[in-house]
Amino acid sequence: MEQQRRKKKQLTIPTPFYLACSNGKVEEVLNLLQNEQLDVNLEDCIDVTTPLYLACENGHIEIVKILLNDNRVDINKPNNNGRAPLYIACGNRHLEIVKLLLNDERVNVNGDGVRPLHIACLNGDIEIVKYY
């Protein structure tokens, strides 16, 4: 039943919101977020990634700031590999995004799968490790 529910919540083609977050389109994201019916956590069907995950992965700090200010966004939602937005920000060495996420009390700093701090250590990213 859970698997069926998840499939219904996944995209087969990207929505404008998904693409705007992925591509760092600030004005588009702000406009689309005005729609209260928008599913801000809708995942794609390939990697099961959310718009926040993509913004963190691609280093779009302004998009991340906007999404963190929207209470509808699940900031700990992992992809199909169990990696949450904090993990991918650490893995891609986006220090400013890591700082934003770590300063948000909703973020699960240990992750539910692979630990974000672990990937920062593996990458030898001393700045992220220090901040953590």
Side-chain angles (χ1 to χ4, degrees):
M1 177 96 120
E2 175 67 20
Q3 189 175 20
Q4 287 177 340
R5 187 179 67 77
R6 284 183 62 88
K7 282 190 178 187
K8 289 181 186 176
K9 292 279 212 175
Q10 292 176 350
L11 300 169
T12 52
I13 58 171
T15 65
F17 181 69
Y18 193 87
L19 289 172
C21 290
S22 177
N23 294 312
K25 304 290 186 181
V26 173
E27 291 303 317
E28 289 178 34
V29 169
L30 289 170
N31 288 332
L32 292 165
L33 282 173
Q34 292 178 18
N35 178 353
E36 292 181 16
Q37 295 179 337
L38 177 69
D39 185 349
V40 297
N41 298 303
L42 192 61
E43 308 161 326
D44 77 339
C45 65
I46 299 169
D47 298 323
V48 191
T49 55
T50 63
L52 175 61
Y53 184 97
L54 286 174
C56 290
E57 180 177 39
N58 294 328
H60 299 308
I61 191 165
E62 292 305 316
I63 302 295
V64 173
K65 287 178 185 178
I66 292 165
L67 296 177
L68 289 178
N69 285 318
D70 190 307
N71 291 329
R72 297 175 290 175
V73 175
D74 180 352
I75 60 178
N76 294 303
K77 194 166 191 176
N79 69 1
N80 62 343
N81 293 320
R83 296 176 179 149
L86 178 59
Y87 176 93
I88 198 64
C90 287
N92 286 359
R93 299 178 174 185
H94 297 306
L95 178 60
E96 294 307 312
I97 292 175
V98 170
K99 287 179 180 181
L100 283 173
L101 293 169
L102 288 176
N103 285 323
D104 191 308
E105 63 186 31
R106 300 171 295 166
V107 171
N108 178 358
V109 297
N110 293 317
D112 291 329
V114 181
R115 297 184 187 260
L117 180 58
H118 185 206
I119 193 67
C121 292
L122 285 174
N123 284 344
D125 198 320
I126 294 170
E127 290 304 312
I128 288 178
V129 172
K130 280 185 200 177
Y131 194 81
Y132 221 95

